[in-house]
C-alpha cells in the first residue's frame, strides 16, 4: 500500500502526517480520533504536523490506512414492515453520525445464509445481527474470528455484545390486564417460537399468568396477512377465544381484519392486543392495546455498541435490556372513565 491509498482532498495523506510527526500511522489515527492512549507530547507533534501539512482527516482514509473498511454490516431476516424499518433507521442514523457506512443484508428469499454472512463479514469492520437470523454455528465462527459482533434482540452471548427489549414482564402485564376484564379463554398468536427469542419470552410471560387457559397458535410470519389467515381459522371455529394476544402489531391488525370479515366485533366479541406500538396501532379502529418498545433506540444502541467494539472496547457489561410499556387502548375492552 502506498501513500496514495489513504489520500484526502489536497493530496496530503495520513502517511505524510506520520512521517512529519515521526510516529506510526496507528498513533496518528488514535490521536485524531481520541481512541487509545497517546502521550501528550506525541499528540502535540501529531497536531502540529496536521496543521503544517493542512491535513483534513478522512474517516475512510484513516480506516483504510489501519486496514479497515470504514463500514459495518447489519443482518436482518427481512426489511418489510415498520418494526425492522424503525430499528434500521435508528441504526443508520448513529452510524452516519459516527462516520461509518452500512452494508445491509436481508436474508429473506436469498441464497444460503451461511455463505452470505461469511462473505459480508470479510467486507466490514464489525457486524450486527438481528435475532436468530444467523445459524448458531455461524455465530460461533464470527465470535472465534474476533470480529466485533452485536446481537440484537438476543439473550446474553459470550464473545458478543447483546441487547434486547424487555419482554417477559410486559407480557405478564398484558395477560393480567386481559384477565382483569373477565376473559377466561385466550390464544397467543405468533410465529413458531425459537427458545429464548423475543416471541418465546412473550409467550412464557403470558403463560406464567394464564397457564392452560391460553393456547399457542403459530403463524407463518409476523405479518398482517399471516395474522389474518391464522385468525380466520381460529375465530371461525368452535371454542373461539375471548381474547387474542398477538406476538406483534402487524399480526394483531390481521386479527382485527379477520374478525371484521367474520362479522365479529372487537372488542365486544373478541379482545385483541399487539406488541411494538407501530403507528398503525395508534390509528386503528378500535385503537390497539399493545406493548410499546423503543424500536429506533434499539437500532441506535446497537450501532453505538458496535462502534465501541470496533474501537477496541471490551465486552464488560455487554448486555443491555431496554424498557417496554403496556399501552392500553380500546381493543381489549371498555375501561372505567379515567382508569385502565
Amino acid at each position: 500500500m502506498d501513500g496514495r491509498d489513504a489520500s484526502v482532498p489536497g493530496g496530503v495523506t495520513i502517511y505524510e502526517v506520520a512521517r512529519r510527526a515521526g510516529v506510526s500511522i496507528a498513533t496518528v489515527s488514535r490521536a485524531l480520533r481520541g481512541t487509545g492512549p497517546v502521550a501528550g507530547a506525541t499528540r502535540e507533534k501529531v497536531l502540529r504536523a496536521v496543521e503544517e501539512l493542512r491535513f483534513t482527516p478522512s474517516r475512510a482514509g484513516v480506516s483504510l490506512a489501519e486496514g479497515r473498511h470504514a463500514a459495518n454490516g447489519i443482518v436482518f431476516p427481512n426489511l418489510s414492515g415498520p418494526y425492522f424499518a424503525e430499528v434500521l433507521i435508528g441504526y443508520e442514523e448513529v452510524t452516519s453520525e459516527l462516520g461509518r457506512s452500512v452494508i445491509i443484508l436481508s436474508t429473506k428469499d436469498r441464497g444460503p445464509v451461511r455463505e452470505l454472512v461469511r462473505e459480508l463479514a470479510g467486507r466490514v469492520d464489525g457486524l450486527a445481527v438481528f435475532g436468530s437470523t444467523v445459524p448458531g454455528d455461524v455465530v460461533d465462527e464470527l465470535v472465534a474470528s474476533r470480529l466485533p459482533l452485536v446481537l440484537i434482540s438476543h439473550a446474553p452471548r459470550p464473545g458478543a455484545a447483546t441487547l434486547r427489549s424487555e419482554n417477559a414482564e410486559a407480557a405478564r402485564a398484558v395477560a393480567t390486564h386481559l384477565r382483569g376484564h373477565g376473559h377466561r379463554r385466550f390464544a397467543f398468536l405468533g410465529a413458531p417460537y425459537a427458545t429464548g427469542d423475543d416471541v418465546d419470552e412473550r409467550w412464557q410471560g403470558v403463560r406464567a399468568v394464564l397457564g392452560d387457559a391460553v393456547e399457542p397458535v403459530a403463524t407463518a410470519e409476523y405479518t398482517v396477512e399471516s395474522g389474518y389467515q391464522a385468525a380466520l381459522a381460529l375465530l371461525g371455529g368452535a371454542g373461539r377465544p375471548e381474547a387474542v394476544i398477538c406476538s406483534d402489531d402487524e399480526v394483531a391488525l390481521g386479527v382485527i381484519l379477520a374478525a371484521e370479515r367474520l362479522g365479529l366485533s372487537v372488542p365486544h366479541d373478541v379482545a385483541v392486543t399487539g406488541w411494538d406500538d407501530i403507528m398503525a396501532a395508534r390509528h386503528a379502529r378500535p385503537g390497539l392495546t399493545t406493548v410499546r418498545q423503543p424500536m429506533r433506540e434499539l437500532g441506535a444502541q446497537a450501532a453505538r455498541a458496535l462502534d465501541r467494539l470496533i474501537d477496541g472496547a471490551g465486552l464488560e457489561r455487554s448486555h443491555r435490556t431496554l424498557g417496554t410499556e403496556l399501552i392500553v387502548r380500546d381493543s381489549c375492552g371498555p375501561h372505567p372513565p379515567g382508569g385502565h
Side-chain angles (χ1 to χ4, degrees):
M1 179 185 295
D2 63 28
R4 290 172 297 179
D5 290 331
S7 61
V8 295
V12 178
T13 72
I14 192 173
Y15 297 93
E16 294 173 70
V17 173
R19 284 195 294 269
R20 176 69 66 93
V23 298
S24 69
I25 296 166
T27 298
V28 173
S29 173
R30 287 196 298 271
L32 295 178
R33 297 170 60 184
T35 59
V38 178
T42 302
R43 188 183 303 277
E44 288 182 11
K45 287 196 297 184
V46 170
L47 296 179
R48 186 163 54 249
V50 167
E51 183 177 357
E52 290 171 355
L53 295 172
R54 297 183 180 180
F55 173 73
T56 302
S58 161
R59 184 64 175 262
V62 171
S63 297
L64 185 58
E66 294 177 332
R68 294 187 178 185
H69 303 275
N72 59 43
I74 186 166
V75 183
F76 283 100
N78 65 73
L79 294 176
S80 64
Y83 173 78
F84 291 123
E86 285 292 307
V87 174
L88 183 57
I89 288 170
Y91 188 88
E92 195 280 330
E93 285 177 345
V94 170
T95 54
S96 179
E97 292 171 5
L98 295 170
R100 299 189 191 275
S101 58
V102 181
I103 301 175
I104 302 166
L105 171 61
S106 172
T107 61
K108 183 177 175 61
D109 299 327
R110 298 289 302 275
V113 172
R114 286 176 169 81
E115 284 70 19
L116 290 170
V117 173
R118 287 169 180 146
E119 191 273 337
L120 175 60
R123 300 168 55 197
V124 295
D125 298 320
L127 197 61
V129 176
F130 191 92
S132 55
T133 309
V134 176
D137 61 322
V138 179
V139 174
D140 292 340
E141 288 181 20
L142 296 173
V143 169
S145 74
R146 299 190 177 183
L147 179 76
L149 180 65
V150 174
L151 304 177
I152 306 171
S153 294
H154 201 283
R157 167 66 162 81
T162 55
L163 71 159
R164 73 187 329 165
S165 296
E166 198 286 320
N167 291 292
E169 183 178 338
R172 289 192 291 270
V174 171
T176 300
H177 181 82
L178 288 172
R179 194 169 60 181
H181 276 279
H183 302 307
R184 292 295 177 264
R185 295 192 309 277
F186 304 86
F188 182 89
L189 198 58
Y193 322 117
T195 301
D197 74 0
D198 280 355
V199 174
D200 179 59
E201 285 202 331
R202 294 167 197 173
W203 160 244
Q204 297 299 337
V206 165
R207 196 165 187 270
V209 174
L210 301 177
D212 293 338
V214 60
E215 173 192 3
V217 179
T219 62
E221 296 179 296
Y222 303 108
T223 62
V224 173
E225 181 61 25
S226 289
Y228 176 78
Q229 294 298 335
L232 284 177
L234 178 66
L235 301 180
R240 184 179 73 230
E242 298 169 354
V244 180
I245 303 168
C246 296
S247 55
D248 78 349
D249 287 346
E250 290 194 82
V251 171
L253 294 172
V255 174
I256 292 174
L257 290 174
E260 182 181 14
R261 171 72 180 271
L262 294 169
L264 301 174
S265 170
V266 176
H268 302 293
D269 295 319
V270 59
V272 179
T273 68
W275 199 287
D276 290 338
D277 197 27
I278 63 176
M279 186 175 295
R282 306 167 205 178
H283 299 294
R285 291 295 176 267
L288 181 63
T289 292
T290 187
V291 173
R292 178 179 296 161
Q293 67 165 318
M295 298 172 285
R296 194 169 295 196
E297 184 63 16
L298 195 64
Q301 291 288 348
R304 293 189 183 99
L306 187 57
D307 189 69
R308 289 192 295 269
L309 292 179
I310 291 171
D311 280 342
L315 283 168
E316 295 80 7
R317 300 178 65 185
S318 60
H319 180 74
R320 292 200 61 192
T321 301
L322 306 185
T324 51
E325 177 187 5
L326 173 62
I327 303 297
V328 176
R329 298 192 179 101
D330 294 335
S331 68
C332 57
H335 302 90
H340 296 291

